[in-house]
Amino acid sequence: MLFRPTSILYRSSNSWISRQSRDPYVKKRVLDSNFYRSRSAFKLVEINDKWNILTPNLRAIVDLGAAPGGWSQVVSRTLEWDDEQGTDGVPRTSSGEEADDPLAMWEAIKNLDSPTDPAGFGLREGTRPAPGVIVAVDKLPMKPIPGVLTLQADFLQPATARTIKRMLTAPFNRDGKADLILSDIGANQSGNRIRDVEQSLEICHAVLKFARKHLRSDFELRQDTWDRQGVLLLKHFAHPDIDEFRKEHLEPNFRGVYYLKPGSSRSESSEGYFLCRGWRGDSGFGLL
């Protein structure tokens, strides 16, 4: 009996290793020249290929629960930030100093007159100007990513919210709002399935609360552009109340809400994504 927990753990570990060795997206992550930091990066790649949420008109993007940085890498590369930042790969300001401190980067951004090359990161030669600011937030530390302002903090804390707004505010983005908010946050597995399921719904509510304060409203946009601004991509897990959450909190506050299950999301996983487009803001009739 004393050895049973160890044997269960051993079998579980073997099962995980076996699954990883067969997973085509795990192999692709290693073999792909982009070398994304996480397998989940391919989910965002798939979603963007179909829905085109990473567009040149974006002024500001926030990636919540970003560590280790796979989704931020996708955003950075899709928006064509230069990966070659010297031999160490660290983003630098125009003066050549390391720019991995978020507030130092913000100081470099805030005085710009246009969204061209925020913080002097450098763009690939011959490509269009950078469309805006990318802010990645997580409680865990992240290695620098070209064009991404990283913030190690809890996004639910008021002080963090104030810092994010400061980081998003610039002459080309004076209201400090985000056009796109991404959340690939998953609840930490406690072993108590009921608690884990409840926590996943709590995360959805927390992200929506954050979006209410930081997402740009589409109220003054032309009808043909609403689906490209005021966008929230929100991961969720199966929950008895998830349909109610969608109907009562998402659909009244966005002009379009879509359920997505990317091919790279494991079939046995209960995860899915809500793509919410056209945040109504104060013009919406829903209650959060």
Side-chain angles (χ1 to χ4, degrees), residues 25-66:
Y25 290 97
V26 172
K27 295 177 181 178
K28 183 175 176 61
R29 185 184 72 85
V30 175
L31 298 176
D32 195 295
S33 59
N34 286 325
F35 195 80
Y36 291 119
R37 296 179 184 179
S38 63
R39 180 188 182 283
S40 65
F42 294 103
K43 301 172 190 176
L44 183 57
V45 170
E46 281 188 69
I47 291 171
N48 187 57
D49 285 346
K50 182 175 181 179
W51 294 91
N52 194 31
I53 62 175
L54 299 175
T55 59
N57 65 320
L58 296 177
R59 283 172 280 177
I61 305 101
V62 177
D63 182 8
L64 298 177

Side-chain angles (χ1 to χ4, degrees), residues 1 15 33 38 86 93 101 117 119 132 139 155 174 244 260 269:
M1 294 293 293
S15 176
S33 59
S38 63
T93 65
D101 177 72
D117 201 8
K139 293 179 181 179
F155 77 90
R174 295 185 184 279
E244 181 181 354
L260 311 180
S269 173

Side-chain angles (χ1 to χ4, degrees), residues 77-267:
R77 292 168 182 176
T78 304
L79 299 184
E80 298 182 336
W81 288 103
D82 190 355
D83 285 327
E84 300 301 326
Q85 298 295 327
T87 57
D88 57 4
V90 176
R92 299 179 181 278
T93 65
S94 55
S95 64
E97 298 176 353
E98 290 190 8
D100 55 340
D101 177 72
L103 292 181
M105 292 169 123
W106 173 78
E107 291 294 335
I109 288 173
K110 69 175 184 177
N111 294 320
L112 293 178
D113 293 326
S114 73
T116 302
D117 201 8
F121 289 139
L123 291 168
R124 295 172 185 164
E125 185 176 355
T127 60
R128 58 172 169 72
V133 184
I134 307 167
V135 175
V137 188
D138 202 293
K139 293 179 181 179
L140 301 175
M142 280 177 54
K143 293 181 179 179
I145 298 172
V148 177
L149 314 183
T150 59
L151 179 61
Q152 185 178 353
D154 182 351
F155 77 90
L156 296 175
Q157 296 300 315
T160 304
R162 291 192 293 270
T163 301
I164 292 173
K165 186 173 181 63
R166 290 177 62 200
M167 293 168 72
L168 294 176
T169 302
F172 58 85
N173 194 49
R174 295 185 184 279
D175 61 1
K177 297 284 188 177
D179 298 302
L180 171 64
I181 294 177
L182 305 171
S183 173
D184 193 37
I185 302 174
N188 293 326
Q189 299 302 302
S190 67
N192 184 326
R193 186 177 183 279
I194 295 177
R195 174 57 189 149
D196 292 344
V197 168
E198 286 300 321
Q199 190 177 6
S200 70
L201 186 60
E202 291 171 7
I203 290 172
C204 289
H205 280 283
V207 171
L208 186 57
K209 183 178 180 180
F210 177 90
R212 184 182 186 182
K213 296 179 180 179
H214 295 278
L215 194 58
R216 176 170 290 112
S217 168
D218 75 320
F219 182 61
E220 297 180 354
L221 298 175
R222 300 193 314 272
Q223 186 176 1
D224 62 343
T225 64
W226 67 261
D227 62 337
R228 296 192 295 275
Q229 296 193 49
V231 177
L232 169 66
L233 181 60
L234 172 65
K235 179 161 126 176
H236 67 276
F237 290 87
H239 187 282
D241 297 329
I242 198 66
D243 288 337
E244 181 181 354
F245 171 77
R246 173 178 178 168
K247 292 175 181 177
E248 293 190 2
H249 298 283
L250 297 181
E251 291 180 351
N253 291 289
F254 290 88
R255 297 184 185 273
V257 178
Y258 311 88
Y259 170 78
L260 311 180
K261 177 76 170 178
S264 51
S265 178
R266 291 190 174 99
S267 57

